[in-house]
Amino acid sequence: SPLPGWPSSHREMATPAAANRGAEKRNYSRDELSQFDGSSPDAPILIAICGLIYDVTPKEDMYGIGGPYSYMAGKDASRMLAKMATKDDAAKMTDPSIADLDEKEQKTLDQWIAMFQK
């Protein structure tokens, strides 16, 4: 399904940054991405940020089941990161749109993107 709030060129989630445990390099829908939430030991753990997918499997202790950021695994984490959402906050976020971010939230999101691109 379309990802509201993203530029039209990012409506589908792009290729994972690094293939690990067999993540196929292709576009993923949100439903497909949800399968990479850390619940399968044979599948990578992926998150999306602003239309790009990142393989966070090397940080399984952080993003895997029981990790402090596990609630972002298999999801579009853009809004969660921009708003510095806790697990409880994220559970209430049903719309991943980032169209309404204020300047501070956009700057926070940009900082997260820069960190993930390293």
Side-chain angles (χ1 to χ4, degrees):
S1 62
L3 301 169
W6 289 359
S8 59
S9 62
H10 292 114
R11 294 264 183 218
E12 291 296 319
M13 293 182 236
T15 305
N20 191 6
R21 290 198 232 169
E24 186 180 346
K25 292 186 177 190
R26 62 176 177 82
N27 290 344
Y28 289 82
S29 69
R30 283 194 299 218
D31 287 341
E32 291 169 327
L33 180 65
S34 70
Q35 298 171 30
F36 297 94
D37 63 356
S39 61
S40 173
D42 298 324
I45 303 169
L46 305 176
I47 67 169
I49 306 169
C50 292
L52 295 177
I53 293 184
Y54 296 91
D55 185 341
V56 294
T57 308
K59 297 285 188 179
E60 188 170 1
D61 59 324
M62 302 296 284
Y63 295 94
I65 300 298
Y69 301 112
S70 62
Y71 60 93
M72 294 183 190
K75 295 183 177 69
D76 173 0
S78 305
R79 188 172 188 82
M80 294 177 223
L81 292 169
K83 294 190 170 281
M84 300 293 289
T86 64
K87 183 177 183 177
D88 291 338
D89 295 335
K92 299 172 195 167
M93 291 183 176
T94 58
D95 179 8
S97 175
I98 57 171
D100 66 341
L101 297 181
D102 64 28
E103 188 176 328
K104 180 181 177 187
E105 292 166 337
Q106 185 60 56
K107 184 176 180 179
T108 299
L109 181 57
D110 291 344
Q111 290 169 339
W112 278 108
I113 292 168
M115 187 201 75
F116 274 91
Q117 290 178 343
K118 288 183 180 180

